[in-house]
Amino acid sequence: MQGKNIRLLIFDFDGTLASTKSIYLRTIYEILNNHGYGVTSRQVRVVIGIELRELLRLLGVKQHDVEKIAVEIDHIVLKKASRLRACPHISVARKLLKDYYTAVASNSLIRFLMPFLKKHRLNFDVVIGAGRFKNKQEAFNYLFKKFKVKAGNSAYIADRAA
C-alpha cells in the first residue's frame, strides 16, 4: 500500500481474512429449512454477508423466530469455527499490521473472530464483532474517532463493499 495519507486500515473478516462463507451458507440453509422456512441455498447466498438478524428478516423469518434462530445459527457456527481456513493473501494482511493503525469490523461474533486471529498471529489494534454497532458505517465512525483519522485517510479491505 503506497498511499502516504492512509493511516488506518479496516479489514472485513468473512471472505477477507477467513474463508467463512461455506460454513455460514450451509448452517443458515439447514437451520432455516429445519424450522420450516423453505429457502434455497441461492436465496441465502444472495444475502450472505449482512448482519445475521437482518439477513433472517430478509429471508422471510417471522419476527418472533428471528432471535431464537439467530442464537441457534451462532451456536452451530461457533462449533465449526475450528475448521476455518485462512484466505489466500493473509500474509499480506500480516505485513500491513506493522505499518498502519489496523482494525477488524465484522458481522461475525467476537468469539468466532478471536481464536482465528490468534491462531494466525494477526494482532489488530481493535477488533469489532457483531452486536457492537448497528452497521459497518457506525463502526467506521467509531474507528475514525478512536484513531483521530479522517475517512479519507483510511482504507476498507473487504471481499465486497460495506
Side-chain angles (χ1 to χ4, degrees), residues 121-139:
R121 298 179 324 275
L122 295 167
N123 299 312
F124 288 89
D125 296 310
V126 174
V127 178
I128 299 172
R132 180 127 179 241
F133 295 97
K134 269 190 309 193
N135 55 47
K136 292 265 179 95
Q137 188 58 57
E138 199 175 287

Side-chain angles (χ1 to χ4, degrees), residues 102-139:
T102 58
V104 173
S106 177
N107 289 321
S108 287
L109 295 170
I110 200 88
R111 295 184 327 254
F112 187 63
L113 303 170
M114 293 312 292
F116 177 88
L117 296 176
K118 286 179 184 172
K119 176 182 176 181
H120 293 280
R121 298 179 324 275
L122 295 167
N123 299 312
F124 288 89
D125 296 310
V126 174
V127 178
I128 299 172
R132 180 127 179 241
F133 295 97
K134 269 190 309 193
N135 55 47
K136 292 265 179 95
Q137 188 58 57
E138 199 175 287

Side-chain angles (χ1 to χ4, degrees), residues 11 93-100 102 121-124:
F11 288 79
R94 195 175 292 111
K95 289 176 187 171
L96 292 171
L97 294 175
K98 299 171 187 167
D99 299 324
Y100 300 90
T102 58
R121 298 179 324 275
L122 295 167
N123 299 312
F124 288 89

Side-chain angles (χ1 to χ4, degrees), residues 5-92:
N5 294 327
I6 299 295
R7 296 180 46 219
L8 169 63
L9 299 178
I10 305 169
F11 288 79
D12 185 28
F13 180 75
D14 302 294
T16 303
L17 298 172
S19 296
T20 59
K21 191 174 187 176
S22 63
I23 289 174
Y24 274 106
L25 279 171
R26 190 171 296 116
T27 303
I28 292 168
Y29 171 78
E30 289 173 2
I31 289 177
L32 287 180
N33 282 290
N34 289 346
H35 283 275
Y37 290 98
V39 298
T40 65
S41 58
R42 186 171 192 263
Q43 287 173 302
V44 176
R45 197 176 304 113
V46 167
V47 293
I48 200 83
I50 62 172
E51 194 277 327
L52 180 58
R53 284 146 187 83
E54 181 62 25
L55 177 148
L56 295 174
R57 287 183 199 97
L58 288 173
L59 290 173
V61 174
K62 294 176 182 146
Q63 186 60 41
H64 66 275
D65 286 339
V66 168
E67 190 59 30
K68 175 180 72 172
I69 290 173
V71 168
E72 189 176 343
I73 290 168
D74 285 341
H75 177 73
I76 290 172
V77 165
L78 282 170
K79 280 184 173 179
K80 297 177 179 180
S82 64
R83 299 184 207 159
L84 282 181
R85 288 176 297 134
C87 287
H89 301 293
I90 199 163
S91 60
V92 174

